[in-house]
Amino acid sequence: AAKDQNCSDKFTQLYLQYYQNMIRYATSIVKSVNIAEELVHDAYIKILKHIEEIEEPSSARTKRYLLVTVRNVCFDYLLKNVPTEDLADYEAVLCNPLDSIWKIYSEGNQRKAGFIFRKAVEKDRRLFIDATIKGYRYKELTERYQMTEGNISV
């Protein structure tokens, strides 16, 4: 009974401490407060299933775990709700995420580009930022990332 009470207390603390942040984060991804609220509730159900694995509710690790969980729930929702004609854009990301992000962003679809950006691996995200926002040239990028120019395309 003490274990159940501890899990219940921990879950309540997580809910009270992070709910608003998770709603804001989910809304930034799905662009709808109503959908975000549903998805955050789905995320909390997933979290509840693993509540015993969470050690300290206030730790950075716990916060990261909660945000990754809600992000993944949002991505799953978006992937299931992307119109069929747009799927080619998402599949192209697997082959060359940097070109896809830039192409989609430059066509004016910042929401989809942001979604793809968040799904890209960390190295691709840093490379994209360095090339497009910080303005590094190919030579600087090749030195910085220890890659050949042929492997860098932004």
Side-chain angles (χ1 to χ4, degrees):
K3 183 179 178 182
D4 290 341
Q5 184 61 44
N6 185 33
C7 288
S8 177
D9 291 346
K10 188 185 304 181
F11 184 79
T12 301
Q13 183 180 352
L14 292 173
Y15 190 86
L16 294 174
Q17 187 171 349
Y18 296 107
Y19 179 78
Q20 291 302 321
N21 288 337
M22 291 174 72
I23 291 292
R24 279 192 294 276
Y25 186 49
T27 302
S28 75
I29 296 170
V30 298
K31 307 301 184 210
S32 164
V33 174
N34 292 335
I35 293 171
E37 288 173 348
E38 289 179 34
L39 296 175
V40 167
H41 286 285
D42 291 348
Y44 270 109
I45 290 169
K46 289 179 181 272
I47 292 162
L48 183 58
K49 291 177 184 177
H50 301 281
I51 195 71
E52 291 180 11
E53 297 168 26
I54 297 173
E55 294 174 16
E56 176 56 46
S58 297
S59 73
R61 183 177 182 182
T62 297
K63 182 176 182 178
R64 194 168 39 254
Y65 170 71
L66 297 178
L67 292 176
V68 166
T69 301
V70 78
R71 180 193 68 190
N72 290 342
V73 168
C74 290
F75 287 165
D76 289 344
Y77 168 83
L78 288 175
L79 285 174
K80 290 175 185 170
N81 292 284
V82 171
T84 306
E85 62 271 12
D86 292 342
L87 288 179
D89 290 336
Y90 289 92
E91 290 170 8
V93 172
L94 299 175
C95 299
N96 194 338
L98 298 177
D99 282 346
S100 299
I101 295 167
W102 186 247
K103 179 179 179 285
I104 292 166
Y105 184 83
S106 63
E107 290 171 351
N109 196 336
Q110 288 81 11
R111 181 175 172 204
K112 186 184 292 184
F115 172 74
I116 294 168
F117 180 80
R118 288 186 291 275
K119 291 294 268 189
V121 296
E122 178 65 25
K123 186 174 183 179
D124 285 341
R125 290 195 304 257
R126 286 184 289 137
L127 182 61
F128 182 77
I129 289 169
D130 285 349
T132 58
I133 296 173
K134 295 182 180 177
Y136 287 115
R137 299 179 189 275
Y138 282 112
K139 184 177 180 182
E140 295 167 313
L141 293 171
T142 58
E143 292 169 2
R144 187 176 178 101
Y145 291 94
Q146 299 174 351
M147 299 171 73
T148 64
E149 244 182 87
N151 289 335
I152 297 177
S153 59
V154 178

